[in-house]
Every structure is written in structure tokens, then in C-alpha cells.
Amino acid sequence: MECHTLCMVTCDVRTIDYHTGGEPFRVVVDGVPEIPGRTVLDRRTAAAAPEFDAVRRLLCHEPRGHADMYGCFLVPPDDAGAHLGVLFWHKDGYSTACGHGTMALGVHAVEQRLVQADPDGETDVVIDVPSGRVTARVRCAAGRPESVVFRNVPSYVIERGVPLPGQGVKADLAYGGAVYASLPAAALGLSVTPAHLPELIARGRAVKAALAGHPATRHPGDDRLSGVYGVVLHEDLGPGRQRNVTVFADGEVDRSPCGSGTAARLALLHEEGFTGTLTHESIVGSVFTGRVAEVLPEGVIPEIEGTAYRTGEHRFTLDPRDPLGTGFTLR
């Protein structure tokens, strides 16, 4: 059925792939039908229809993707104030925010000349995402992107010290375009290292499950933004420096320091009195730097800097005879 649905629409999907801090980001440039909706958030709901979701599965699932694949569909922005709109996706569905993807989209927009960029300066790429309007500020030298600053939607603390039934620990909840639960890895008897990755995934999934349906995870303005998206397990490395691993969706692992998760961490740290620049490391050693750029009544505006690089251009096809269709996942 999946193979038939996709082949009725397209058997030829073209992408340009990037990584930001080691986390993949697959941009679909051709091969997905127009997704209806008045806003990007509306289109996120519509994208669950079989004719669109089959493309997501084709690109995320094995053998063309993997359990931790990430990417997007480009869609029109909500209005002329943004350059483009985007629907972020992963193996389990569609997210409301993605900082590493926003950085990669900034590089994509400049390299593909979707915006007119300053070859030796900064260019703002304004993007409508399901959680609101964000900016990727791309810094170029000699016409080549060197770094990207992700300016996020207002981010804020939701609730601190939320007990986790059956876990014996408490988590802090904060919003950074999505809801994140944050707690020290040491509270679980773990450290943020590759050697502990299976346990970090298991505990991250358990924390998310323990918070399912918790009233504090409801978004006050739009229930489509509700629910814990990711669990940030962090450890201190000294003043202004932390390492984290973010376990999001259903056990997916962010190889980058997680852009929207870093925004949630900055909201928590700002409330604790931190006013400097956070150096945020990932489990693979990549680094984002983040700071609170502005304080508004509805929350802080984080700015998070990283880099993104193109890794390839791809043309994916689906043979209608293939019994595996759009693929499978083992996790």
C-alpha cells in the first residue's frame, strides 16, 4: 500500500543533505506534492496524509535513512515577511522546531541562492517553522558560509522540579520551540559519553514516558505545540560550559548539541542568573555557543551559533516491485 501510494505521486525524490554539528539534515528539493494549509503549522498537520508521509518514510527509514535521520520539506512561508517555510521531520513524524535544521537551512538558502547574500558579511534568512518565525543569520567570507546564528522564538521556563513517577528523579521543563525535560545525567548515575549511550537512550525514553500527559507539558496557546519532545541530559564542564545529549521523539539521539534544546537550557540558566555565553558540547564533541540576546515579557530570545556543511546531493527512487516499500526501522 505504501509503495503504491508513493508511486502514484512520485518515484523520484531529490535532496540536498547537510550536517550541523554531526546531526544530519536532509532537505527535499523536488519530489513531494504541495502540502495544503494556511500556515506552516497547518501544513504540519496536513503532512500526515499518506501521499506526503510516504515521502518522509522513504527518506527516513532504512535502507535509505536510519533511526536517527532528520530532514525537512520546504513549504511557502506564512506571509511575505519570511523567505521560506519548513516542515521538520524525523523517523517518528514531524517536530515543531529544529535549531540544527534552521542553521542548515540558512546555509542552504545562501548556497542555493534562495536569498541574496552578502559575500563578505552577514545575511538574515527568515524562516517560518511550526513554532513561529525564526532567523538563521549566515556569516560569509569570500562567498562561502562560515557560521550561522540561530535566533529562536521566545523561550521560557515552564516548571521546575517535576517529579517523575517511578524514576526517583525530578526534571525541569522549558520551552524552546518545543517542550524539553532537562535533568543532570549524574542524577541517573550516567555521564554524557558514547559509552553510556544505550543507557542514556533508555532513560531518556523513560523520562519522556513518565511525563506523557502531564499538565505542565501543555502549550498555553496552541495544543499542537504540547507534549515533551526531547529530554536533555546534561553535565557541567566548568563555568559557562556544559555537555548534553538530547534524546528526542522515540529514542532518537541528537548528534549536535541540539539547537532548540540549547534554547530551553538558556531559558533555565537565565532564570538562575546566568548572563554569559554558554558553550554547549554534544556527545560527539561538536559545539554550539548560545546567549540570551533579548528579554521579552513572553520569554528570552536565544541566539545560538554553529556551523553546517553540505554532505551530498541525492536522487532517491522506489521500485514498485520492492517488497520493503518505503522501508523499515529497527528502533
Side-chain angles (χ1 to χ4, degrees), residues 288-302:
F288 290 165
T289 57
R291 68 184 186 95
V292 170
E294 192 175 353
V295 180
L296 302 175
E298 58 268 37
V300 300
I301 301 295

Side-chain angles (χ1 to χ4, degrees), residues 70-291:
Y70 213 103
C72 78
F73 297 144
L74 298 178
V75 297
D78 290 352
D79 58 53
H83 294 102
L84 54 96
V86 62
L87 299 178
F88 300 117
W89 43 250
H90 47 76
K91 76 173 177 66
D92 299 306
Y94 300 87
S95 57
T96 61
C98 179
H100 93 272
T102 299
M103 294 180 195
L105 279 174
V107 171
H108 177 76
V110 168
E111 289 187 339
Q112 299 301 308
R113 300 183 180 179
L114 303 181
V115 300
Q116 185 174 353
D118 184 342
D120 289 291
E122 295 182 340
T123 300
D124 282 355
V125 180
V126 183
I127 305 168
D128 283 333
V129 309
S131 58
R133 181 161 289 176
V134 300
T135 299
R137 182 167 298 139
V138 183
R139 183 178 299 114
C140 293
R144 297 175 64 88
E146 289 197 327
S147 66
V148 187
V149 173
F150 160 50
R151 184 177 173 92
N152 201 11
V153 298
S155 304
Y156 53 86
V157 176
I158 301 171
E159 187 172 332
R160 288 185 179 269
V162 178
L164 304 178
Q167 302 293 308
V169 293
K170 298 178 180 181
D172 296 330
L173 297 178
Y175 181 79
V179 178
Y180 287 89
S182 182
L183 66 159
L188 304 173
L190 300 170
S191 61
V192 181
T193 60
H196 283 172
L197 185 58
E199 294 92 342
L200 291 164
I201 295 172
R203 296 306 297 269
R205 295 177 78 182
V207 168
K208 182 174 179 176
L211 289 167
H214 193 287
T217 68
R218 299 290 296 272
H219 189 275
D222 193 321
D223 201 47
R224 292 174 292 179
L225 303 175
S226 295
V228 173
Y229 171 63
V231 178
V232 182
L233 303 170
H234 59 87
E235 59 188 18
D236 286 324
L237 301 178
R241 193 175 192 95
Q242 294 187 344
R243 179 185 295 123
N244 92 91
V245 63
T246 300
V247 181
F248 65 94
D250 185 18
E252 295 194 46
V253 177
D254 199 327
R255 273 73 172 158
S256 82
C258 187
S260 50
T262 299
R265 290 294 303 147
L266 283 168
L268 288 162
L269 291 169
H270 181 266
E271 188 180 76
E272 295 166 8
F274 179 74
T275 58
T277 297
L278 173 66
T279 300
H280 215 198
E281 293 187 14
S282 76
I283 195 168
V284 302
S286 55
V287 175
F288 290 165
T289 57
R291 68 184 186 95

